[in-house]
């Protein structure tokens, strides 16, 4: 089994144990743009379909 390092753009770390359908995901780009995505599967697809030099991080927002 190949281990993916934290520096690899494919690395994902769970930051919240709540069900994923209770969040909105804010995708940040390196040029400062932000995109809110409501569906976790769509977020994953967007992350993995974009070159890593354009993406910065994902912010998980709780729905209140």
């Amino acid at each position: 089994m190949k281990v993916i390092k934290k520096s690899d753009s494919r690395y994902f770390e769970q930051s919240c144990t709540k069900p994923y359908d209770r969040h909105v995901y804010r995708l940040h780009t390196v040029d400062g743009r932000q995109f809110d995505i409501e569906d976790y599967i769509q977020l994953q697809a967007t992350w993995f379909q974009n070159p890593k030099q354009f993406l910065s991080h994902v912010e998980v927002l709780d729905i209140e």
Side-chain angles (χ1 to χ4, degrees):
M1 183 170 112
K2 184 178 179 182
V3 177
I4 298 175
K5 297 179 182 180
K6 283 189 175 188
S7 59
D8 191 314
S9 64
R10 297 173 296 164
Y11 182 84
F12 178 79
E13 184 173 48
Q14 182 175 336
S15 59
C16 183
T17 58
K18 292 182 182 179
Y20 285 111
D21 61 350
R22 293 187 184 171
H23 303 296
V24 172
Y25 306 92
R26 181 164 292 155
L27 179 63
H28 294 262
T29 62
V30 294
D31 64 1
R33 293 181 293 155
Q34 300 176 3
F35 301 93
D36 287 352
I37 301 173
E38 294 184 10
D39 180 71
Y40 179 70
I41 300 301
Q42 182 61 45
L43 170 72
Q44 281 186 312
T46 303
W47 182 267
F48 288 113
Q49 292 172 3
N50 284 281
K52 66 180 179 179
Q53 68 264 25
F54 298 123
L55 302 174
S56 175
H57 64 281
V58 174
E59 182 180 0
V60 180
L61 309 172
D62 283 333
I63 297 174
E64 299 197 30

